[in-house]
Amino acid sequence: MNKLSTQDRVQILNALSEGIGINAASRITGKSKNTILKLLADAGEACALYQDRTMRKLTIKKVQVDEIWSFIGMKQKNVPADDENGNGDCYTFTAIDPETKLMPCWLVGTRSRECAYEFMDDLASRLAVRVQLSTDGLRVYPEAVEHAFKGKVDYGVLNKTYADEGLKESKRRYSPATMTSCEKLRVYGNPDADHISTSHVERANLSMRMGMRRFTRLTNAFSKKLQNHMHAVSFYFMVYNFVKIHTSIKTTPAMEAGVADFLWDMEDIVMMMDTMGQ
């Protein structure tokens, strides 16, 4: 099979980084759908490996954690009992430093105790200093935080109450709920109440939904395969952390956090992919 040129790969990845779908990228670049999916898989694997190696011994001081919903193949209610392809509800756990805007890790899985434990273990392993951690009121978080940080964290929970909590979750996904109250709770350590918040990570998750076509609600652009979904998420975070300048800090999150010392562009990602593939 002929290898795409650097220019062709840069063109395709630039198109994908703007949030368009695979079919649209195929029409714009003139490359086949299979070619684009293969490039996305290669980019996703390389980006995941590079960030896993790079996001270590971080000195960030605050972290906010949340989850963002999507689905693979079909809605959860339509998944057959014998499905083994990972179809149905899919949650991506995300974390952000509200000061540097760095998103140091993520996990694609389910909204389960096992995934929360794995995600918090991964997050804790990347930090070099004690942090203030904020999450929402998801019940699995306190145990997962205790298991990962062994109490060496200033952890607070933001509990929100909504007027329409009686509605099914599937209905709440497509219309904003009305928040009636919120409560800040200290769980471990001595968190600063003024910084117990999930506002930054929720806004970052909104950018994810706008920046990846497969996260767009009420369309047929959803991910058809779990692996492709994971590759797209890994590539998104690489572009977010290293390539795109964040408007609030006037640089990239990776540079602001001291993880990178130069501004990446898409050709740098292609070069990194070639290096990782050797």
Side-chain angles (χ1 to χ4, degrees), residues 147-165:
H147 179 270
F149 290 88
K150 305 297 189 295
K152 297 179 181 178
V153 64
D154 298 316
Y155 173 39
V157 168
L158 184 68
N159 272 331
K160 296 180 181 179
T161 303
Y162 297 93
D164 48 1
E165 281 191 336

Side-chain angles (χ1 to χ4, degrees), residues 148-273:
F149 290 88
K150 305 297 189 295
K152 297 179 181 178
V153 64
D154 298 316
Y155 173 39
V157 168
L158 184 68
N159 272 331
K160 296 180 181 179
T161 303
Y162 297 93
D164 48 1
E165 281 191 336
L167 292 178
K168 292 183 178 180
E169 185 175 0
S170 59
K171 293 183 178 180
R172 291 202 305 268
R173 289 189 186 121
Y174 303 114
S175 59
T178 302
M179 187 177 72
T180 57
S181 65
C182 65
E183 182 182 15
K184 297 180 178 182
L185 302 176
R186 183 189 69 82
V187 183
Y188 302 119
N190 187 32
D192 183 346
D194 290 339
H195 295 288
I196 298 177
S197 171
T198 57
S199 297
H200 291 87
V201 69
E202 289 171 3
R203 180 59 182 83
N205 285 351
L206 173 61
S207 294
M208 282 184 64
R209 198 170 291 286
M210 295 187 297
M212 280 183 280
R213 182 60 172 161
R214 60 189 69 230
F215 276 80
T216 305
R217 293 185 171 114
L218 301 178
T219 73
N220 61 359
F222 54 86
S223 294
K224 311 308 186 292
K225 294 182 179 180
L226 179 60
Q227 286 297 323
N228 288 342
H229 190 82
M230 296 170 69
H231 294 322
V233 170
S234 297
F235 174 63
Y236 171 85
F237 278 111
M238 188 74 197
V239 174
Y240 169 87
N241 282 321
F242 290 86
V243 177
K244 291 189 175 181
I245 294 178
H246 200 287
T247 55
S248 67
I249 57 176
K250 312 305 180 185
T251 185
T252 63
M255 292 182 69
E256 185 73 7
V259 175
D261 55 8
F262 68 95
L263 176 64
W264 285 55
D265 58 25
M266 206 60 69
E267 187 169 347
D268 292 314
I269 291 183
V270 171
M271 293 173 61
M272 179 270 293
M273 290 168 55

Side-chain angles (χ1 to χ4, degrees), residues 17 20 22-23 30 53 62 79 83 86 94 98-99 101-102 121 128 133 137 160 164 196 214 229 232 244 257 273 276:
S17 72
I20 67 175
I22 300 298
N23 290 329
R53 293 178 179 177
K62 299 182 182 68
V79 178
D83 178 75
T94 62
E99 295 179 351
K101 310 304 178 185
L102 186 75
D121 286 345
L133 177 66
K160 296 180 181 179
D164 48 1
I196 298 177
R214 60 189 69 230
H229 190 82
K244 291 189 175 181
M273 290 168 55
M276 291 291 180

Side-chain angles (χ1 to χ4, degrees), residues 53-60 124-129 257-259:
R53 293 178 179 177
T54 304
M55 301 290 187
R56 298 289 175 181
K57 298 181 179 179
L58 301 174
T59 57
I60 56 179
S125 71
R126 300 179 185 280
L127 303 174
V129 298
V259 175

Side-chain angles (χ1 to χ4, degrees), residues 86-110:
N87 289 320
D89 285 351
C90 178
Y91 284 87
T92 303
F93 289 78
T94 62
I96 192 172
D97 170 18
E99 295 179 351
T100 67
K101 310 304 178 185
L102 186 75
M103 301 190 78
C105 63
W106 64 93
L107 184 141
V108 177
T110 58

